[in-house]
Amino acid sequence: MFYVPTIGAADVGWVDIEPILKTEAEGLAESLRSSLARGNPEAPSPGRDPDKALIVKATGSKNWRDFEKRSLSVTILCHPDHYEIIPMIKNKLKRWSFNHEQTARIPVDAGLEGVAQWAANYLKSHNAP
């Protein structure tokens, strides 16, 4: 299952805002397309309680810790000639940080379908027995 938030621009930086789309791999490209079409609207800065994060509620997680245990996270950046996908990993402080060593670059002509295919393969590779 994939969750695609709308990304809002807040005083503190980029934040997840509603709507957060829930989709299987087959609908991921369309969900990404919808999120991109919404752009980055202005958003209020979130509170400090991670257990109240919108993504926690959207995924049905009990709290932030539960969400982190069951999730993979990536950041997708759109450039004129490619999409850049940066997976997140837990750092020494047990917080998510960018894993630049596994950054993927998908040519723009592969479209969001190419991004969705990469994401599906990434998820499969982390759920393999």
Side-chain angles (χ1 to χ4, degrees):
M1 190 59 57
F2 295 88
Y3 294 86
V4 180
T6 300
I7 305 299
D11 291 340
V12 297
W14 304 109
V15 296
D16 294 349
I17 61 173
E18 293 181 335
I20 297 175
L21 304 176
K22 177 181 176 181
T23 184
E24 304 259 346
E26 300 80 36
L28 182 56
E30 188 56 38
S31 292
L32 292 169
R33 199 170 282 108
S34 294
S35 183
L36 283 171
R38 284 189 293 281
N40 302 113
E42 287 188 30
S45 293
R48 293 183 179 251
D49 185 353
D51 291 340
K52 293 186 179 180
L54 294 175
I55 195 73
V56 171
K57 178 182 171 188
T59 60
S61 300
K62 297 175 200 167
N63 52 42
W64 185 257
R65 175 172 262 158
D66 180 48
F67 168 70
E68 286 187 314
K69 283 181 190 177
R70 301 182 307 127
S71 302
L72 295 173
S73 180
V74 300
T75 295
I76 303 170
L77 303 172
C78 302
H79 299 281
D81 61 343
H82 70 280
Y83 297 98
E84 184 176 15
I85 308 170
I86 311 168
M88 305 295 281
I89 58 171
K90 289 289 190 92
N91 63 25
K92 292 176 185 175
L93 299 174
K94 305 280 189 213
R95 295 187 179 155
W96 278 348
S97 61
F98 292 119
N99 181 1
H100 291 288
E101 292 177 12
Q102 290 190 340
T103 295
R105 286 178 176 72
I106 307 297
V108 74
D109 61 351
L112 292 171
E113 289 74 11
V115 173
Q117 183 62 52
W118 181 94
N121 290 338
Y122 182 73
L123 180 62
K124 284 178 191 173
S125 73
H126 283 79
N127 286 331

